[in-house]
Amino acid sequence: MSEAKKWSDAATLEDALDHGLTADEFKHLTDLLGRTLNMVELGVCAALYSEHCSYKSTKVHLRNLPTTGKRVIQGPGENAGVVDIGDGQAVVFKVESHNHPTFIEPYQGAATGVGGILRDVFTMGARPLACMNALRFGAPDNPRTPYLLSRAVSGIGGYGNCMGIPTVGGELFFHESYNGNCLVNAFALGLVQTDKIFLGRAAGIGNAIIYLGSKTGRDGIHGATMASEEFDDNSEEKRPTVQVGDPFTEKLLLEACLEVMQTGAVVGIQDMGAAGMTSSTYEMADRAGTGVRIHLDRIPQREANMNPYEIMLSESQERMLLVVEVGRVQEVLDLSHRWELDAVQIGEVVEGKNVDLFWHGELVSSLEASLLTSSVPQYRWPEKAPTDFEQRSHFDTSTIPEAQDLNETWLKMLGSVNLCSRFPVFNQYDSTVRSNTVVHPGGDAAVIRIKAGKAEREKGVAMTLDCNSRYCSIDPRQGAALTLAEACRNIAAVGAFPIGISDNLNFGNPEKPEGMWQISEAIRGLSEAARAFDVPVVSGNVSLYNETKAKPILPTPLLAVVGLIEDSAKCIGIHFKEDGDKVFLIGATDADELGGSEYMAQYAGVEKGTLPELNYDLEIKSAELIRSLIDKGLIRSCHDLSSGGLAIALAESCFGVYGHRGATLELDTAAGRKDGLLFSETGARYLVSCSPSNEAKLLKAIAAAGLTVSAKGTVGGAAVEVKGIAKIDLGKGYTAWSQGLKPLFS
C-alpha cells in the first residue's frame, strides 16, 4: 500500500492491479459484494486470490490426482497429509516451497521455509521427527550461485538444528535455468496418534479465538503475492517481503502447542503461514462453515503504529491461531504464558459465514470467508506443446559419438556438481539429534525409527525427495512419471514400501500456453504413475511464476515419497560392507537409453532425446524382490541406479562412510555402446551385494522372481572397474567425488 493511501480508503482498479489482482477479478469481487472494497479488504482479497494461496491455475488439474487409499486419514485440503502406519499411529508430512524469498534473501528465505513447514506438521498435533530439503541453483559459474547456495544451506541448518529436529536427506541440482530463480523446497514429517489429529477449523459457535506465538511485525507483508509474480530487475527491492525467523521461539511454540492440545480444550488450530492472519482466519472459517469475529487491535504488535492492513498481511513467523472451548480460555492462556509466549484472546466464532474485522471497536471489514477461499475463480489456461517438443523428445542420441576416454570421463562425472558428494551440504545439518535416524543422508532414502519402548521391533519410516528436472523439460509427462518411479526405487532400496506422496510443483508462468502445457502434462504423468504404483498424493504445494525476465526454470515437479518398513533394524544402506562380498546388478541395461541423461548433458551438452522406458510391471516386481531380499537378510547393501547410471552407483557403493572398498564388475554382455553401458539411466535396476555364503540363495530368489542378473562382481581392491569398459583408481575417484562441491563453499 502506498504512503498516499490509508488503510480505510476505498480501493481503485489501479490499486487492485498494483496488488496483483486482474481487472476481471476486481470486478468479480465488487460485483459479488455490491460495493467498493477498502484497502484492508483489497489486501486480504489479493493475498487469498494469489496463486500461492488459491491454486487458481492448477486446481482443475490437481483434481485428477489419486488422493485416497486404505492408509489415508487426511488428504489434500488441510495443513499437511496424514497416513496411517498401524498401532494407532500416523505420520503427518508435507513439502512446500520458499523459492522467491530465498532468491531475495537466501538465509532467512530458506530458514523460514523450514519453520513454515514444521508448523504445518505440528499444527496437526504431530511432533516433527525429520526434515529434508530439495535445492535448485543456477550454473556453478554464475557469480550468484555460491552465495545463494551457501546462505540457503546455512539458513536450513541454522533453523533445523536449533529446533532439535534432524535433517535426514534431500537433493541438490544445478542448472543455468535457475540462475535467476533458485528453488528451496522444504519437507517435514511428524508422528501423531490417530485419535489426536487436529484440523484447521473454526468450529463451535461461541468458542474463543486465541493468538499464540511471536508478536506481529511488518516483515513478510505481501509475501504471498510476491511469491506469485515473475522476477525482474527490481526484485532485490522486495527484501521487506521476506520473513525473519526465530527458531528458538518456534521451539517454544512447538512445545506449547503440543501441550495445549493435550488438554482437550483446542477445537481447531492453524499456523499463520502465507498471508498470515488472513489465510488462517478465512480458511478456518470456511472449512467449518462458520463466522469469525476478530479484534485486530488486541493482536500483540512489536512495531509502533501498525494498522489493520499491515496486521492482516504480515507474515511474521512463529504464530498460531487457536480455536478454544469457550470455558477453557484462561487455562490455555496460562499454559501458553508458561512457555513465555504471547497469548491473547482476539475473537470468537460467531453465527453466519462472514469474517468480521474490528479495529478499536469499529467494524472495518465484513467478507464471507468462502468468497476468498473455496469460491476463488479457477482458470483453465490454454495449453500448447513447445514447437520443438517432438524434435527434442525424439532426438537420436546415437548420432553423438562416444567419449574417447571413458576412464577420464568417469572421473569427471564423479566430480561434477550434479553427481558428486553432498557432504558439504548435509555436514551442516544435524541428522542424529533425537537418536531416531537409522539411514543418514547420502543414501537412497533416509530412514527414522519409531521408538516402541520394550517392543521387540521398531517400525521404520523411509523418506526421499526426487525430481529429474531435465527429464521433465524434455517430456513433462514422462519425466514426472519417471520421477515417481525413481522415488519408489529409493524407498524399496532401504527395504520399505511407499505409502504416500507430497508434491511440490515448481513451474513458470501458467498464463503462457507452453508453461501451462508443462504443468498439466506433469500432473497427468504424476497421476498415471501414482495410480500404477498405488501410492496416493496426500498433500502438496504449487509454486508458479518461477521466471526471471520471461525465462522460466526447468519444470520441477518435486516429489516427497514416504515409505514404511515393519522392522527398522533390517534397513540397509548403499555401501559395500566387506572385501570378498559378491556384487550383482539386478535388471538389464539398455545401452541406447541416453536421452536426457546426465552423461549426455555433461559430455556432449545435449539435453534432449528419448527418455528411458517406464515399465510399471517390471518396476513393481523388482521393488518387491528387493524388499523380500532385505527382509530375509540376503543382501548387505542395495543402491538403485538413476542419474549417472551404473558407473556412478558402483563408485558411490565403494565410497563407504567407514572405509573405501574397490570393486570389480563384469557384465554378462557388452553389447551396445560402451558409454551407454556405463552411464545409461535405464530404470528398474539395483546394485546389490551379499556375503559369499548367501550367493546361491540370492541368485535363486532372483530367478524365482522372473528377473535377471546382468552383471556380477566382487568387492575389494584398489580400483573401481567394469571389466573391458572402464577402470578408475579408488583413491582418485573418491577425491574427485568428495571435492566436487568444495569450490562453491570456499
Side-chain angles (χ1 to χ4, degrees):
M1 185 171 64
S2 68
E3 293 183 4
K5 301 285 289 193
K6 294 182 180 179
W7 61 266
S8 56
D9 287 347
T12 66
L13 174 59
E14 183 181 3
D15 294 326
L17 297 176
D18 286 343
H19 278 67
L21 288 171
T22 67
D24 287 343
E25 289 169 343
F26 184 60
K27 184 177 185 301
H28 170 75
L29 284 164
T30 53
D31 285 350
L32 283 176
L33 290 170
R35 63 174 176 82
T36 301
L37 298 167
N38 63 37
M39 291 302 293
V40 174
E41 293 171 326
L42 177 64
V44 164
C45 291
L48 292 180
Y49 266 58
S50 71
E51 195 70 53
H52 192 74
C53 292
S54 70
Y55 296 178
K56 59 190 177 185
S57 297
T58 54
K59 272 189 176 179
V60 294
H61 301 284
L62 293 171
R63 290 195 188 99
N64 296 320
L65 293 173
T67 58
T68 59
K70 61 183 180 181
R71 290 183 177 271
V72 178
I73 297 175
Q74 177 63 56
E78 276 288 339
N79 293 288
V82 186
V83 178
D84 197 320
I85 61 170
D87 303 313
Q89 296 176 312
V91 285
V92 178
F93 58 92
K94 186 182 180 183
V95 62
E96 191 165 63
S97 63
H98 229 224
N99 303 334
H100 285 55
T102 301
F103 184 78
I104 295 170
E105 210 304 295
Y107 185 95
Q108 290 296 346
T112 52
V114 175
I117 199 64
L118 287 172
R119 290 194 299 279
D120 280 340
V121 167
F122 70 76
T123 193
M124 304 289 290
R127 177 171 290 281
L129 295 182
C131 292
M132 298 191 295
N133 54 83
L135 311 176
R136 294 286 191 281
F137 295 100
D141 58 359
N142 182 288
R144 193 167 166 82
T145 295
Y147 164 72
L148 290 172
L149 170 66
S150 60
R151 295 300 294 158
V153 169
S154 294
I156 291 166
Y159 207 101
N161 294 351
C162 290
M163 284 288 293
I165 299 168
T167 299
V168 297
E171 56 128 47
L172 172 63
F173 181 75
F174 298 87
H175 191 277
E176 63 181 6
S177 75
Y178 304 102
N179 281 351
N181 206 130
C182 64
L183 304 184
V184 170
N185 292 179
F187 168 91
L189 176 142
L191 181 69
V192 68
Q193 296 297 311
T194 55
D195 60 348
K196 295 181 180 178
I197 297 167
F198 288 81
L199 303 178
R201 302 186 180 186
I205 306 303
N207 281 336
I209 296 174
I210 291 179
Y211 174 110
L212 174 62
S214 294
K215 288 180 170 63
T216 294
R218 291 188 172 93
D219 52 323
I221 293 175
H222 295 311
T225 51
M226 179 270 293
S228 305
E229 300 171 347
E230 293 184 22
F231 278 153
D232 55 30
D233 289 327
N234 299 317
S235 295
E236 286 287 338
E237 298 174 4
K238 297 180 180 179
R239 286 182 185 272
T241 65
V242 177
Q243 311 94 320
V244 178
D246 179 356
F248 299 104
T249 298
E250 177 123 336
K251 174 62 174 174
L252 297 176
L253 182 63
L254 162 64
E255 300 300 339
C257 285
L258 294 181
E259 188 171 342
V260 166
M261 289 170 175
Q262 294 303 311
T263 66
V266 177
V267 176
I269 179 171
Q270 180 159 319
D271 78 297
M272 298 184 208
M277 275 288 300
T278 292
S279 61
S280 53
T281 50
Y282 287 87
E283 289 173 3
M284 291 180 77
D286 186 38
R287 291 192 193 112
T290 60
V292 165
R293 181 186 297 129
I294 299 291
H295 300 273
L296 297 175
D297 49 286
R298 298 180 188 174
I299 290 175
Q301 300 158 44
R302 70 166 181 260
E303 297 186 48
N305 302 316
M306 291 189 72
N307 62 52
Y309 178 95
E310 295 169 326
I311 291 170
M312 284 302 292
L313 296 180
S314 167
E315 293 186 11
S316 293
Q317 297 291 282
E318 295 90 35
R319 301 180 300 159
M320 286 280 184
L321 201 65
L322 282 65
V323 176
V324 173
E325 290 183 0
V326 64
R328 305 186 67 181
V329 173
Q330 195 59 47
E331 176 186 355
V332 170
L333 295 180
D334 290 345
L335 194 155
S336 301
H337 291 149
R338 276 176 38 210
W339 288 98
E340 300 181 352
L341 294 168
D342 281 292
V344 61
Q345 181 177 348
I346 63 168
E348 47 277 330
V349 181
V350 297
E351 298 279 358
K353 296 186 178 181
N354 281 21
V355 173
D356 294 335
L357 305 179
F358 287 84
W359 182 245
H360 296 288
E362 178 187 354
L363 179 67
V364 298
S365 172
S366 182
L367 298 173
E368 185 173 330
S370 64
L371 177 67
L372 306 186
T373 50
S374 55
S375 299
V376 173
Q378 297 174 26
Y379 301 127
R380 185 180 287 275
W381 299 108
E383 302 174 29
K384 180 183 178 182
T387 55
D388 65 345
F389 170 62
E390 291 295 329
Q391 182 269 329
R392 294 186 73 232
S393 61
H394 293 94
F395 176 79
D396 185 1
T397 54
S398 68
T399 61
I400 305 296
E402 293 188 42
Q404 294 297 306
D405 187 341
L406 289 177
N407 298 340
E408 185 63 25
T409 301
W410 192 351
L411 281 173
K412 287 182 178 178
M413 292 274 286
L414 279 171
S416 66
V417 292
N418 282 336
L419 296 174
C420 68
S421 170
R422 271 55 186 134
F423 182 80
V425 174
F426 62 70
N427 186 45
Q428 299 185 50
Y429 308 148
D430 188 343
S431 66
T432 62
V433 64
R434 302 191 66 83
S435 69
N436 293 320
T437 311
V438 177
V439 178
H440 290 260
D444 285 327
V447 181
I448 60 169
R449 62 179 174 144
I450 304 300
K451 291 177 181 174
K454 297 180 180 180
E456 291 185 6
R457 66 180 183 180
E458 296 177 318
K459 290 174 292 192
V461 176
M463 59 203 84
T464 183
L465 289 174
D466 287 286
C467 181
N468 194 313
S469 303
R470 191 178 287 114
Y471 282 4
C472 294
S473 71
I474 296 169
D475 184 340
R477 191 169 189 157
Q478 181 78 346
L482 286 166
T483 289
L484 182 55
E486 157 67 0
C488 289
R489 287 197 298 272
N490 285 336
I491 295 295
V494 296
F497 58 91
I499 59 173
I501 301 167
S502 184
D503 60 357
N504 202 155
L505 307 179
N506 306 271
F507 289 89
N509 189 337
E511 299 172 51
K512 298 177 181 178
E514 290 188 3
M516 193 64 238
W517 176 82
Q518 289 181 332
I519 297 165
S520 58
E521 281 290 277
I523 294 172
R524 291 178 191 119
L526 171 58
S527 180
E528 293 164 5
R531 285 184 167 85
F533 288 111
D534 193 24
V535 191
V537 179
V538 299
S539 62
N541 173 241
V542 174
S543 174
L544 306 185
Y545 297 95
N546 289 290
E547 299 196 9
T548 298
K549 299 180 182 178
K551 293 182 179 180
I553 62 167
L554 294 185
T556 308
L558 189 282
L559 303 181
V561 177
V562 172
L564 179 66
I565 182 170
E566 294 299 331
D567 187 352
S568 62
K570 292 184 176 181
C571 289
I572 62 175
I574 69 172
H575 299 125
F576 296 144
K577 297 298 188 296
E578 297 288 344
D579 287 355
D581 280 355
K582 299 301 179 182
V583 183
F584 301 94
L585 176 59
I586 300 174
T589 300
D590 184 340
D592 294 323
E593 281 192 325
L594 290 170
S597 67
E598 188 68 31
Y599 167 70
M600 275 289 163
Q602 287 195 34
Y603 159 65
V606 172
E607 296 186 306
K608 50 189 175 182
T610 304
L611 300 183
E613 178 186 358
L614 178 50
N615 184 326
Y616 288 113
D617 290 339
L618 182 60
E619 290 281 0
I620 293 168
K621 183 190 296 184
S622 300
E624 288 174 346
L625 170 66
I626 292 299
R627 282 191 286 268
S628 174
L629 296 175
I630 293 173
D631 183 62
K632 295 174 181 176
L634 293 179
I635 55 178
R636 305 184 72 178
S637 72
C638 181
H639 195 358
D640 89 296
L641 270 62
S642 56
S643 187
L646 173 62
I648 301 305
L650 179 61
E652 288 177 337
S653 296
C654 291
F655 302 150
V657 177
Y658 301 109
H660 309 152
R661 304 177 187 281
T664 301
L665 201 62
E666 186 169 3
L667 302 178
D668 282 1
T669 175
R673 296 175 59 129
K674 289 185 176 181
D675 58 351
L677 293 169
L678 279 181
F679 302 117
S680 164
E681 297 174 4
T682 298
R685 294 183 298 161
Y686 298 84
L687 190 68
V688 304
S689 67
C690 70
S691 64
S693 62
N694 279 330
E695 179 177 0
K697 293 179 183 177
L698 173 59
L699 292 174
K700 182 178 179 180
I702 295 170
L707 299 172
T708 60
V709 170
S710 58
K712 300 177 182 178
T714 305
V715 176
V720 186
E721 179 180 8
V722 179
K723 279 192 174 181
I725 298 179
K727 178 180 180 180
I728 59 173
D729 177 80
L730 178 63
K732 290 182 179 179
Y734 178 76
T735 297
W737 178 76
S738 63
Q739 298 298 309
L741 286 181
K742 187 176 180 180
L744 292 173
F745 282 97
S746 59

PDB file of all heavy atoms in Angstrom, residues 7 293-298 308 357-365:
ATOM      1  N   TRP A   7      -5.382   2.902   5.068  1.00  0.00           N
ATOM      2  CA  TRP A   7      -5.967   1.563   5.106  1.00  0.00           C
ATOM      3  C   TRP A   7      -7.484   1.583   4.984  1.00  0.00           C
ATOM      4  O   TRP A   7      -8.094   0.624   4.524  1.00  0.00           O
ATOM      5  CB  TRP A   7      -5.540   0.845   6.377  1.00  0.00           C
ATOM      6  CG  TRP A   7      -5.958   1.513   7.666  1.00  0.00           C
ATOM      7  CD1 TRP A   7      -5.226   2.378   8.407  1.00  0.00           C
ATOM      8  CD2 TRP A   7      -7.204   1.353   8.344  1.00  0.00           C
ATOM      9  NE1 TRP A   7      -5.922   2.781   9.516  1.00  0.00           N
ATOM     10  CE2 TRP A   7      -7.148   2.161   9.516  1.00  0.00           C
ATOM     11  CE3 TRP A   7      -8.365   0.619   8.106  1.00  0.00           C
ATOM     12  CZ2 TRP A   7      -8.197   2.260  10.419  1.00  0.00           C
ATOM     13  CZ3 TRP A   7      -9.420   0.698   9.007  1.00  0.00           C
ATOM     14  CH2 TRP A   7      -9.341   1.510  10.142  1.00  0.00           C
ATOM     15  N   ARG A 293     -15.280 -13.431  14.354  1.00  0.00           N
ATOM     16  CA  ARG A 293     -15.106 -12.030  14.714  1.00  0.00           C
ATOM     17  C   ARG A 293     -13.698 -11.848  15.274  1.00  0.00           C
ATOM     18  O   ARG A 293     -13.308 -12.545  16.221  1.00  0.00           O
ATOM     19  CB  ARG A 293     -16.151 -11.608  15.746  1.00  0.00           C
ATOM     20  CG  ARG A 293     -16.051 -10.131  16.154  1.00  0.00           C
ATOM     21  CD  ARG A 293     -17.013  -9.817  17.283  1.00  0.00           C
ATOM     22  NE  ARG A 293     -18.403 -10.008  16.856  1.00  0.00           N
ATOM     23  CZ  ARG A 293     -19.285 -10.732  17.527  1.00  0.00           C
ATOM     24  NH1 ARG A 293     -18.925 -11.371  18.646  1.00  0.00           N
ATOM     25  NH2 ARG A 293     -20.521 -10.847  17.089  1.00  0.00           N
ATOM     26  N   ILE A 294     -12.930 -10.928  14.680  1.00  0.00           N
ATOM     27  CA  ILE A 294     -11.542 -10.699  15.087  1.00  0.00           C
ATOM     28  C   ILE A 294     -11.360  -9.237  15.490  1.00  0.00           C
ATOM     29  O   ILE A 294     -11.746  -8.323  14.746  1.00  0.00           O
ATOM     30  CB  ILE A 294     -10.562 -11.036  13.937  1.00  0.00           C
ATOM     31  CG1 ILE A 294     -10.687 -12.510  13.530  1.00  0.00           C
ATOM     32  CG2 ILE A 294      -9.122 -10.705  14.342  1.00  0.00           C
ATOM     33  CD1 ILE A 294     -10.193 -13.489  14.556  1.00  0.00           C
ATOM     34  N   HIS A 295     -10.749  -9.009  16.651  1.00  0.00           N
ATOM     35  CA  HIS A 295     -10.414  -7.666  17.123  1.00  0.00           C
ATOM     36  C   HIS A 295      -8.916  -7.448  16.886  1.00  0.00           C
ATOM     37  O   HIS A 295      -8.067  -7.869  17.680  1.00  0.00           O
ATOM     38  CB  HIS A 295     -10.763  -7.517  18.608  1.00  0.00           C
ATOM     39  CG  HIS A 295     -12.217  -7.737  18.888  1.00  0.00           C
ATOM     40  ND1 HIS A 295     -13.147  -6.733  18.805  1.00  0.00           N
ATOM     41  CD2 HIS A 295     -12.905  -8.874  19.215  1.00  0.00           C
ATOM     42  CE1 HIS A 295     -14.355  -7.226  19.080  1.00  0.00           C
ATOM     43  NE2 HIS A 295     -14.237  -8.516  19.334  1.00  0.00           N
ATOM     44  N   LEU A 296      -8.610  -6.764  15.799  1.00  0.00           N
ATOM     45  CA  LEU A 296      -7.217  -6.638  15.368  1.00  0.00           C
ATOM     46  C   LEU A 296      -6.360  -5.840  16.347  1.00  0.00           C
ATOM     47  O   LEU A 296      -5.150  -6.067  16.440  1.00  0.00           O
ATOM     48  CB  LEU A 296      -7.160  -5.993  13.976  1.00  0.00           C
ATOM     49  CG  LEU A 296      -7.818  -6.801  12.846  1.00  0.00           C
ATOM     50  CD1 LEU A 296      -7.799  -6.010  11.545  1.00  0.00           C
ATOM     51  CD2 LEU A 296      -7.108  -8.143  12.668  1.00  0.00           C
ATOM     52  N   ASP A 297      -6.956  -4.907  17.066  1.00  0.00           N
ATOM     53  CA  ASP A 297      -6.169  -4.089  17.993  1.00  0.00           C
ATOM     54  C   ASP A 297      -5.668  -4.892  19.189  1.00  0.00           C
ATOM     55  O   ASP A 297      -4.779  -4.450  19.917  1.00  0.00           O
ATOM     56  CB  ASP A 297      -6.985  -2.894  18.476  1.00  0.00           C
ATOM     57  CG  ASP A 297      -8.366  -3.298  18.968  1.00  0.00           C
ATOM     58  OD1 ASP A 297      -9.224  -3.621  18.106  1.00  0.00           O
ATOM     59  OD2 ASP A 297      -8.588  -3.312  20.184  1.00  0.00           O
ATOM     60  N   ARG A 298      -6.230  -6.095  19.414  1.00  0.00           N
ATOM     61  CA  ARG A 298      -5.770  -6.928  20.533  1.00  0.00           C
ATOM     62  C   ARG A 298      -4.520  -7.752  20.169  1.00  0.00           C
ATOM     63  O   ARG A 298      -3.898  -8.344  21.052  1.00  0.00           O
ATOM     64  CB  ARG A 298      -6.878  -7.892  20.956  1.00  0.00           C
ATOM     65  CG  ARG A 298      -8.142  -7.218  21.465  1.00  0.00           C
ATOM     66  CD  ARG A 298      -9.171  -8.274  21.854  1.00  0.00           C
ATOM     67  NE  ARG A 298     -10.477  -7.685  22.175  1.00  0.00           N
ATOM     68  CZ  ARG A 298     -11.563  -8.402  22.431  1.00  0.00           C
ATOM     69  NH1 ARG A 298     -11.488  -9.729  22.436  1.00  0.00           N
ATOM     70  NH2 ARG A 298     -12.704  -7.801  22.696  1.00  0.00           N
ATOM     71  N   PRO A 308      -4.585  -1.992  10.543  1.00  0.00           N
ATOM     72  CA  PRO A 308      -5.229  -3.259  10.185  1.00  0.00           C
ATOM     73  C   PRO A 308      -4.695  -3.887   8.908  1.00  0.00           C
ATOM     74  O   PRO A 308      -4.596  -5.121   8.815  1.00  0.00           O
ATOM     75  CB  PRO A 308      -6.704  -2.863  10.035  1.00  0.00           C
ATOM     76  CG  PRO A 308      -6.878  -1.705  10.947  1.00  0.00           C
ATOM     77  CD  PRO A 308      -5.587  -0.938  10.841  1.00  0.00           C
ATOM     78  N   LEU A 357     -13.844  -8.003  10.838  1.00  0.00           N
ATOM     79  CA  LEU A 357     -12.621  -7.444  11.417  1.00  0.00           C
ATOM     80  C   LEU A 357     -12.947  -6.122  12.106  1.00  0.00           C
ATOM     81  O   LEU A 357     -13.557  -5.226  11.491  1.00  0.00           O
ATOM     82  CB  LEU A 357     -11.572  -7.214  10.324  1.00  0.00           C
ATOM     83  CG  LEU A 357     -11.194  -8.430   9.459  1.00  0.00           C
ATOM     84  CD1 LEU A 357     -10.163  -8.031   8.408  1.00  0.00           C
ATOM     85  CD2 LEU A 357     -10.665  -9.571  10.321  1.00  0.00           C
ATOM     86  N   PHE A 358     -12.540  -6.009  13.364  1.00  0.00           N
ATOM     87  CA  PHE A 358     -12.790  -4.801  14.149  1.00  0.00           C
ATOM     88  C   PHE A 358     -11.456  -4.137  14.506  1.00  0.00           C
ATOM     89  O   PHE A 358     -10.445  -4.809  14.736  1.00  0.00           O
ATOM     90  CB  PHE A 358     -13.558  -5.135  15.429  1.00  0.00           C
ATOM     91  CG  PHE A 358     -15.002  -5.486  15.194  1.00  0.00           C
ATOM     92  CD1 PHE A 358     -15.362  -6.776  14.832  1.00  0.00           C
ATOM     93  CD2 PHE A 358     -15.992  -4.519  15.330  1.00  0.00           C
ATOM     94  CE1 PHE A 358     -16.689  -7.100  14.616  1.00  0.00           C
ATOM     95  CE2 PHE A 358     -17.329  -4.839  15.117  1.00  0.00           C
ATOM     96  CZ  PHE A 358     -17.682  -6.136  14.752  1.00  0.00           C
ATOM     97  N   TRP A 359     -11.481  -2.820  14.570  1.00  0.00           N
ATOM     98  CA  TRP A 359     -10.310  -2.033  14.966  1.00  0.00           C
ATOM     99  C   TRP A 359     -10.774  -1.001  15.995  1.00  0.00           C
ATOM    100  O   TRP A 359     -11.513  -0.083  15.666  1.00  0.00           O
ATOM    101  CB  TRP A 359      -9.708  -1.360  13.727  1.00  0.00           C
ATOM    102  CG  TRP A 359      -8.476  -0.549  13.954  1.00  0.00           C
ATOM    103  CD1 TRP A 359      -8.345   0.797  13.794  1.00  0.00           C
ATOM    104  CD2 TRP A 359      -7.178  -1.020  14.346  1.00  0.00           C
ATOM    105  NE1 TRP A 359      -7.058   1.201  14.062  1.00  0.00           N
ATOM    106  CE2 TRP A 359      -6.311   0.101  14.404  1.00  0.00           C
ATOM    107  CE3 TRP A 359      -6.665  -2.273  14.661  1.00  0.00           C
ATOM    108  CZ2 TRP A 359      -4.970  -0.009  14.757  1.00  0.00           C
ATOM    109  CZ3 TRP A 359      -5.328  -2.384  15.017  1.00  0.00           C
ATOM    110  CH2 TRP A 359      -4.489  -1.276  15.059  1.00  0.00           C
ATOM    111  N   HIS A 360     -10.397  -1.242  17.251  1.00  0.00           N
ATOM    112  CA  HIS A 360     -10.807  -0.374  18.361  1.00  0.00           C
ATOM    113  C   HIS A 360     -12.334  -0.206  18.376  1.00  0.00           C
ATOM    114  O   HIS A 360     -12.856   0.901  18.529  1.00  0.00           O
ATOM    115  CB  HIS A 360     -10.119   0.983  18.280  1.00  0.00           C
ATOM    116  CG  HIS A 360      -8.626   0.895  18.428  1.00  0.00           C
ATOM    117  ND1 HIS A 360      -8.012   0.608  19.621  1.00  0.00           N
ATOM    118  CD2 HIS A 360      -7.634   1.028  17.503  1.00  0.00           C
ATOM    119  CE1 HIS A 360      -6.689   0.579  19.441  1.00  0.00           C
ATOM    120  NE2 HIS A 360      -6.441   0.825  18.168  1.00  0.00           N
ATOM    121  N   GLY A 361     -13.029  -1.330  18.207  1.00  0.00           N
ATOM    122  CA  GLY A 361     -14.481  -1.337  18.290  1.00  0.00           C
ATOM    123  C   GLY A 361     -15.204  -1.018  17.007  1.00  0.00           C
ATOM    124  O   GLY A 361     -16.435  -1.179  16.925  1.00  0.00           O
ATOM    125  N   GLU A 362     -14.509  -0.566  15.994  1.00  0.00           N
ATOM    126  CA  GLU A 362     -15.136  -0.200  14.721  1.00  0.00           C
ATOM    127  C   GLU A 362     -15.004  -1.347  13.720  1.00  0.00           C
ATOM    128  O   GLU A 362     -13.913  -1.899  13.536  1.00  0.00           O
ATOM    129  CB  GLU A 362     -14.477   1.059  14.147  1.00  0.00           C
ATOM    130  CG  GLU A 362     -15.040   1.472  12.793  1.00  0.00           C
ATOM    131  CD  GLU A 362     -14.260   2.616  12.166  1.00  0.00           C
ATOM    132  OE1 GLU A 362     -13.353   3.163  12.845  1.00  0.00           O
ATOM    133  OE2 GLU A 362     -14.528   2.952  11.001  1.00  0.00           O
ATOM    134  N   LEU A 363     -16.101  -1.712  13.060  1.00  0.00           N
ATOM    135  CA  LEU A 363     -16.077  -2.749  12.028  1.00  0.00           C
ATOM    136  C   LEU A 363     -15.395  -2.187  10.781  1.00  0.00           C
ATOM    137  O   LEU A 363     -15.884  -1.218  10.185  1.00  0.00           O
ATOM    138  CB  LEU A 363     -17.496  -3.206  11.694  1.00  0.00           C
ATOM    139  CG  LEU A 363     -17.624  -4.283  10.606  1.00  0.00           C
ATOM    140  CD1 LEU A 363     -17.027  -5.603  11.079  1.00  0.00           C
ATOM    141  CD2 LEU A 363     -19.098  -4.483  10.224  1.00  0.00           C
ATOM    142  N   VAL A 364     -14.270  -2.787  10.395  1.00  0.00           N
ATOM    143  CA  VAL A 364     -13.532  -2.272   9.237  1.00  0.00           C
ATOM    144  C   VAL A 364     -13.650  -3.175   8.019  1.00  0.00           C
ATOM    145  O   VAL A 364     -13.298  -2.784   6.910  1.00  0.00           O
ATOM    146  CB  VAL A 364     -12.038  -2.060   9.579  1.00  0.00           C
ATOM    147  CG1 VAL A 364     -11.899  -1.023  10.687  1.00  0.00           C
ATOM    148  CG2 VAL A 364     -11.365  -3.364   9.970  1.00  0.00           C
ATOM    149  N   SER A 365     -14.156  -4.394   8.217  1.00  0.00           N
ATOM    150  CA  SER A 365     -14.344  -5.293   7.073  1.00  0.00           C
ATOM    151  C   SER A 365     -15.293  -6.411   7.464  1.00  0.00           C
ATOM    152  O   SER A 365     -15.224  -6.935   8.578  1.00  0.00           O
ATOM    153  CB  SER A 365     -13.014  -5.898   6.616  1.00  0.00           C
ATOM    154  OG  SER A 365     -13.223  -6.901   5.639  1.00  0.00           O
TER     155      SER A 365
END
